[in-house]
């Protein structure tokens, strides 16, 4: 459906009976509640949700914070529709699919697990937002996905998850483009291996800012939108999913910066889950095993195979090939984890309305819950 953007001041100053004429088209802003109560709620949460609201025919959907983008979008909508609503761009299938036509943001989505997750969810009909600091790879992936001419669409937004302002702006851009957010997949992460004597404090802090604090920033920004959506849609559930690691379930020798952040991430997952379930926002973690083919492991300059060889994590290993062989031999299932394995776990936690605060291992039996 086509969206309308309107400032909160305009809502507060307008007689609810005449809101349609004020917006320039018919719109049932107050379908799901008493006008006075909704306006009161909006005013009370004004500091949290920003200065602009995103509204469509069925009610209040999300937020916007960039006035110029809001005004530009409003002009385009009015000009293109001439007061008439456009048809749905994607028809709802008879068989419900868990992510079909949902709005899914994936941080760190330009490569590695994030890219694989994005490709698989796009195939299932999700509208995908690739959030990444790497514009070149992110934009290339979005172009490739959109060239498939499917009803769902992909969007790239540049974001640095270590910067809360960058995350806020990225989420606002998603809302302006799509009208809300159904799923936030916090996948962006970095790794610096080394012993206590070798680890530079700046490297440790950088890993912590991205892997630990970044998840907090993503959850805070996304949950604001999801709370607002769910307040006016009592049957709706939203999902925040951290792509954690098996290193969040079991310690990792000479890899404490990464493992510590991942252990802490599960603590955040459980705490956020307790806080947000009353808003029908589920928070879960997926803990994958090693994706040996991804750049995190196989990058010839900074990959884990290279880092672990240099850090001496595999006694006696003289080459990257020997390090890789060692890690492959540690997986009972006989192979590394693939993006398809992770996506199956993602679909489970989205489908399951009665599950929150969980850390789901996808490790081929390498790490088992106790």
């Amino acid at each position: 459906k086509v969206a309308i953007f309107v400032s909160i001041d305009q809502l507060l100053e307008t007689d609810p009976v005449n809101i349609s004429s004020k917006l320039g088209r018919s719109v049932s802003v107050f379908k799901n509640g008493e006008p006075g109560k909704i306006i009161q709620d909006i005013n009370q949460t004004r500091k949290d949700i920003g200065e602009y609201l995103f509204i469509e025919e069925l009610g209040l959907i999300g937020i916007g914070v960039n006035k110029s983008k809001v005004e530009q979008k409003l002009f385009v909508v009015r000009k293109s529709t001439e007061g008439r609503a456009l048809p749905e761009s994607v028809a709802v299938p008879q068989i419900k699919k868990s992510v079909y036509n949902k709005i899914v943001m994936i941080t760190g989505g330009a490569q590695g697990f994030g890219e694989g997750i994005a490709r698989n969810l796009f195939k299932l009909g999700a509208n995908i937002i690739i959030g990444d600091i790497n514009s070149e790879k992110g934009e290339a992936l979005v172009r490739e996905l959109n060239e498939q001419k499917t009803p769902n669409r992909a969007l790239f937004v540049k974001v640095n998850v270590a910067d809360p302002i960058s995350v806020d702006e990225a989420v606002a851009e998603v809302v302006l483009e799509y009208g809300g957010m159904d799923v936030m997949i916090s996948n962006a992460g970095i790794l610096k291996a080394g012993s206590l004597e070798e680890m530079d404090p700046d490297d440790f802090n950088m890993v912590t800012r991205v892997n630990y604090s970044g998840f907090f920033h993503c959850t805070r920004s996304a949950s604001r939108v999801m709370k607002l959506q769910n307040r006016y849609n009592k049957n709706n559930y939203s999902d925040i999913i951290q792509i954690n690691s098996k290193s969040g379930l079991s310690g990792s020798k000479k890899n404490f910066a990464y493992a510590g952040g991942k252990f802490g991430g599960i603590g955040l997952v459980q705490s956020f889950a307790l806080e947000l379930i009353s808003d029908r926002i589920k928070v879960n973690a997926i803990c994958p095993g090693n994706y040996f083919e991804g750049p995190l492991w196989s990058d010839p300059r900074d990959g884990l195979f290279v880092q672990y060889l240099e850090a001496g994590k595999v006694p006696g290993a003289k080459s990257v090939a020997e390090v890789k062989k060692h890690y492959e031999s540690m997986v009972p299932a006989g192979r590394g984890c693939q993006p398809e394995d992770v996506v199956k776990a993602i679909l489970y936690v989205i489908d399951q309305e009665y599950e929150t605060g969980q850390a789901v291992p996808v490790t081929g039996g390498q790490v088992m819950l106790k």
Side-chain angles (χ1 to χ4, degrees):
K1 294 181 176 66
V2 172
I4 287 291
F5 293 84
V6 57
S7 72
I8 293 177
D9 283 335
Q10 187 176 348
L11 272 179
L12 297 177
E13 294 169 1
T14 302
D15 181 349
V17 176
N18 298 319
I19 188 70
S20 295
S21 61
K22 190 79 172 180
L23 294 175
R25 62 188 284 260
S26 177
V27 57
S28 301
V29 179
F30 306 109
K31 180 176 180 179
N32 296 316
E34 290 296 325
K37 180 63 167 61
I38 292 178
I39 290 179
Q40 182 181 8
D41 288 345
I42 290 170
N43 204 27
Q44 288 176 347
T45 58
R46 185 169 185 164
K47 291 182 180 179
D48 291 333
I49 66 176
E51 291 300 309
Y52 293 86
L53 302 177
F54 184 103
I55 298 171
E56 71 171 20
E57 281 191 316
L58 296 182
L60 196 58
I61 300 300
I63 64 168
V65 293
N66 186 313
K67 184 177 180 181
S68 63
K69 286 188 177 181
V70 168
E71 291 175 341
Q72 182 182 22
K73 181 75 74 170
L74 178 57
F75 171 77
V76 171
V77 168
R78 284 179 170 166
K79 183 177 180 180
S80 63
T81 65
E82 297 180 350
R84 297 186 303 274
L86 294 179
E88 288 277 8
S89 59
V90 180
V92 178
Q94 290 184 345
I95 299 176
K96 182 180 178 181
K97 298 180 181 179
S98 58
V99 295
Y100 193 92
N101 205 26
K102 285 197 173 184
I103 303 158
V104 182
M105 182 172 180
I106 306 166
T107 66
Q111 59 184 342
F113 264 137
E115 177 185 355
I117 292 168
R119 289 182 181 277
N120 278 274
L121 293 182
F122 192 81
K123 289 179 183 178
L124 296 175
N127 296 293
I128 296 297
I129 298 91
I130 304 296
D132 207 292
I133 202 167
N134 190 325
S135 299
E136 182 178 357
K137 288 187 176 181
E139 290 172 352
L141 176 57
V142 163
R143 283 195 300 271
E144 180 185 341
L145 294 176
N146 286 333
E147 285 172 358
Q148 298 177 28
K149 307 296 184 184
T150 55
N152 54 323
R153 307 301 291 162
L155 172 73
F156 173 77
V157 293
K158 187 169 184 177
V159 61
N160 175 9
V161 298
D163 178 2
I165 295 176
S166 176
V167 176
D168 284 345
E169 291 176 347
V171 169
E173 186 173 347
V174 172
V175 173
L176 285 173
E177 185 67 27
Y178 287 101
M181 183 181 295
D182 298 307
V183 182
M184 164 64 83
I185 299 178
S186 178
N187 169 76
I190 59 174
L191 188 150
K192 290 288 183 180
S195 68
L196 282 167
E197 297 301 325
E198 296 165 337
M199 178 63 68
D200 186 287
D202 289 339
D203 288 340
F204 178 88
N205 290 332
M206 179 176 64
V207 171
T208 303
R209 285 197 302 271
V210 174
N211 296 357
Y212 182 76
S213 300
F215 176 47
F216 157 63
H217 299 151
C218 290
T219 301
R220 187 184 66 162
S221 296
S223 64
R224 289 171 175 169
V225 177
M226 294 171 177
K227 286 177 182 178
L228 194 58
Q229 291 175 159
N230 295 349
R231 183 182 304 170
Y232 297 102
N233 185 348
K234 300 303 182 183
N235 296 317
N236 193 60
Y237 279 83
S238 304
D239 287 272
I240 297 173
I241 301 170
Q242 187 198 36
I243 303 301
N244 197 279
S245 170
K246 69 179 182 62
S247 295
L249 300 173
S250 179
S252 184
K253 183 180 179 181
K254 296 185 179 180
N255 191 24
F256 55 85
Y258 183 79
K262 293 301 184 180
F263 265 85
I266 292 177
L268 292 180
V269 164
Q270 294 180 358
S271 300
F272 294 154
L274 292 172
E275 178 177 345
L276 296 175
I277 189 59
S278 60
D279 295 295
R280 296 187 307 286
I281 301 171
K282 296 175 289 154
V283 187
N284 290 285
I286 309 299
C287 301
N290 300 324
Y291 179 28
F292 295 131
E293 291 74 25
L296 179 65
W297 280 88
S298 294
D299 186 282
R301 186 180 64 178
D302 298 320
L304 294 185
F305 289 134
V306 172
Q307 291 189 48
Y308 289 172
L309 177 65
E310 294 174 350
K313 282 199 64 173
V314 181
K318 303 296 184 182
S319 66
V320 166
E322 291 179 353
V323 175
K324 182 178 181 180
K325 184 177 180 180
H326 168 78
Y327 279 96
E328 287 175 333
S329 70
M330 296 172 64
V331 183
R335 64 173 176 85
C337 185
Q338 297 296 312
E340 291 78 7
D341 302 316
V342 176
V343 168
K344 290 176 183 177
I346 289 173
L347 295 177
Y348 165 74
V349 298
I350 292 175
D351 283 340
Q352 174 59 273
E353 294 180 354
Y354 195 62
E355 199 73 90
T356 191
Q358 302 303 313
V360 181
V362 187
T363 67
Q366 190 173 0
V367 175
M368 300 181 185
L369 296 180
K370 298 178 175 64

